[in-house]
Amino acid sequence: MTETTQHMPPAGGAKPRSPEFRLAADALRGLRQDLFHDAFAYRPLPRSTADGPLTRRLRGRAREYAAWSPHVLITAVGLLAMFVATNDEARGAGSNLILGLLALVPVLLTMVRPVGAFWLSMAATPVATALATGFDDEWPWRTGSFVCHLSVLAIVAIRTRPRTAAWMWALTAVYGIGATTSAGGHAFGSNSAQMLFLSAVVLLGVAVWQIRREARQEVTAQQTVTAHERSRRTLLEERTTIARELHDVVAHHMSVVAIQAEAAPYRVENPPPELERAFVTIRENAVAALTELRRVLGVVRAEDYEAPDAPQPTLADMDALLANVRDAGLSVDKAVTGAVRELPQGVELSAYRIVQEALSNTLRHAPGASARVEIGYVLGGLGLRIVNGPMPEPSLVKPSPGAGHGITGMRERVSMLNGEMTAAPADGGGYEVTVFLPVPSASEGEA
């Protein structure tokens, strides 16, 4: 069985379009969209942003007024074109005023209807030529019309996009060449070449400026996204570290509960069956919780992570930490206020890590400065204050900048415990970190 494939002709007997035809159709579609569709649509010129190169250097009312600088600049350009046009030789006294308005209005119109301003400038050019006397070398653009049309091309190109600027230049070229060809004896004095050359240079400069601005905006946006992702990654890494440490703390306590529950019946002579069953239930629940904890939180351990052999540090190990810091060259003092008591291990571990990170930041960013660690045991929790002075000779000592993640890690630990933290430069120089970690009382814990 032979199968034949027949190519059906397009509906209506139309022939397939060639690539050249499609290219021309796309070009005409772009021309219609850029210069004909909603040509006189209302598109007001916005004020300058607060972070502009001019406005960000000013303050108060001057900054508010500077936001209108684009409008003032366009108005000044329009007045310049009007001044040039009114000095042209016109047919009659009232024609000078009309020539001035024909040069001013298109420039001002760019602030509200940019594409419409281009068409108005094109229409005003032959009118201004008809009103003026003499031709010389000002054909088909009189001096005022020349300045007006060149200004309109530049402003509209800035306000739109490069493709629109290309279409405006093409239509300007068509008008200039057509007017020069139809001028007959005035073709020798045509200024179309000057208009096309200057406008091409201006529009090319505007296109390059727009491309650079868009590229700068894309780079800024990408840098913002990168910084945000870096901050998120830092936060996740710090949370992973905290989860590892808390896993070790909780696992230790759950193991102790399971062992004590198993040994408790042997400490009592002839324990009742109900007590034995209660201890068995406690041990089973502790073992089950420990197994579930290891299975769920075990995913935060990297493959090369090894659990520490020694117990996690607490505030009792603070003296050893300060000794190590002093060996590294930092002069540090410690002050303890309040009744020293044992706190939950998570609180003591976080307090130790916060002090450790704050002192590390002092060594890194303020070498040669002295530091002071204050630990306050209060009724509702634990207070910490780590403050360092300024560097003795900033010009002689070069700080060692780090990744900038220390403050993030401290805030994450404080947030985990529902505490409060401030980190800011100190009044006399240096830096100060203040932390409060709440600790519930025994009655609250039982409740």
Side-chain angles (χ1 to χ4, degrees):
M1 181 177 181
T2 305
E3 182 179 342
T4 27
T5 304
Q6 297 182 355
H7 297 279
M8 300 297 295
K15 296 181 180 180
R17 305 298 187 182
S18 64
E20 293 80 5
F21 179 85
R22 290 196 297 268
L23 183 62
D26 292 340
L28 292 177
R29 191 179 301 110
L31 172 63
R32 183 172 63 253
Q33 179 180 357
D34 290 343
L35 294 183
F36 290 94
H37 183 66
D38 291 337
F40 285 87
Y42 182 67
R43 300 168 186 171
L45 177 66
R47 296 192 300 171
S48 295
T49 57
D51 57 347
L54 176 62
T55 54
R56 62 187 173 192
R57 293 186 176 91
L58 303 175
R59 295 291 182 271
R61 287 191 171 273
R63 190 170 188 175
E64 297 180 4
Y65 296 150
W68 295 99
S69 55
H71 304 76
V72 175
L73 181 60
I74 292 177
T75 304
V77 172
L79 293 176
L80 175 62
M82 180 180 179
F83 174 77
V84 173
T86 52
N87 288 333
D88 206 348
E89 296 180 1
R91 303 179 188 274
S95 299
N96 278 334
L97 178 60
I98 298 176
L99 287 175
L101 293 177
L102 290 177
L104 173 64
V105 174
V107 178
L108 297 182
L109 193 62
T110 59
M111 292 187 288
V112 289
R113 305 182 192 275
V115 179
F118 165 76
W119 288 115
L120 182 60
S121 177
M122 291 287 291
T125 298
V127 176
T129 304
L131 291 176
T133 60
F135 289 99
D136 299 330
D137 58 349
E138 297 182 357
W139 175 267
W141 281 279
R142 306 296 295 185
T143 306
S145 300
F146 194 99
V147 175
C148 170
H149 193 67
L150 190 62
S151 302
V152 168
L153 287 177
I155 297 171
V156 177
I158 292 174
R159 295 206 57 198
T160 55
R161 53 181 177 174
R163 191 179 75 176
T164 304
W167 280 121
M168 291 190 302
W169 186 88
L171 292 180
T172 300
V174 170
Y175 172 78
I177 295 173
T180 301
T181 303
S182 63
H186 302 294
F188 181 78
S190 172
N191 57 4
S192 296
Q194 294 91 322
M195 168 61 77
L196 296 180
F197 175 76
L198 289 178
S199 60
V201 172
V202 171
L203 296 181
L204 180 62
V206 171
V208 172
W209 173 77
Q210 287 180 332
I211 293 173
R212 288 191 59 187
R213 183 184 62 177
E214 293 176 358
R216 190 181 302 111
Q217 290 175 348
E218 291 180 1
V219 171
T220 302
Q222 187 63 36
Q223 289 177 345
T224 303
V225 173
T226 302
H228 180 67
E229 292 297 328
R230 186 184 300 114
S231 177
R232 289 185 58 189
R233 185 173 64 251
T234 301
L235 190 62
L236 291 176
E237 291 175 355
E238 189 62 31
R239 288 179 177 178
T240 301
T241 302
I242 296 173
R244 289 171 178 171
E245 295 176 349
L246 290 182
H247 173 270
D248 298 333
V249 171
V250 177
H252 169 72
H253 286 297
M254 295 301 295
S255 300
V256 172
V257 170
I259 293 173
Q260 290 183 347
E262 185 177 9
Y266 300 100
R267 297 176 179 270
V268 181
E269 185 178 356
N270 298 324
E274 294 81 2
L275 183 60
E276 291 183 353
R277 285 195 299 270
F279 281 120
V280 169
T281 302
I282 293 173
R283 181 182 181 280
E284 291 177 351
N285 289 332
V287 172
L290 183 60
T291 303
E292 188 69 19
L293 179 67
R294 287 173 175 170
R295 183 177 64 183
V296 174
L297 296 184
V299 297
V300 303
R301 296 189 185 277
E303 294 181 358
D304 57 349
Y305 175 78
E306 296 181 1
D309 296 332
Q312 294 289 354
T314 62
L315 291 176
D317 303 309
M318 188 62 64
D319 291 336
L321 172 63
L322 299 183
N324 291 334
V325 173
R326 293 188 185 100
D327 292 339
L330 178 64
S331 176
V332 57
D333 297 328
K334 185 184 77 168
V336 180
T337 58
V340 179
R341 65 185 186 276
E342 184 177 356
L343 302 175
Q345 191 166 358
V347 175
E348 296 215 0
L349 172 62
S350 295
Y352 180 92
R353 295 301 189 197
I354 290 171
V355 174
Q356 184 182 41
E357 185 61 41
L359 295 178
S360 299
N361 287 343
T362 302
L363 286 171
R364 186 181 302 115
H365 300 287
S370 59
R372 179 178 176 83
V373 177
E374 299 178 0
I375 304 174
Y377 291 85
V378 295
L379 183 61
L382 179 70
L384 299 174
R385 180 174 179 267
I386 306 96
V387 59
N388 63 269
M391 288 185 291
E393 292 292 340
S395 59
L396 300 179
V397 181
K398 183 178 180 181
S400 175
H405 300 163
I407 298 296
T408 302
M410 288 189 283
R411 290 191 185 280
E412 187 65 18
R413 291 182 180 276
V414 173
S415 176
M416 177 190 65
L417 298 173
N418 297 324
E420 298 178 358
M421 171 180 166
T422 57
D427 294 337
Y431 207 79
E432 178 178 348
V433 176
T434 305
V435 175
F436 176 74
L437 302 178
V439 178
S441 61
S443 59
E444 293 177 355
E446 293 175 0

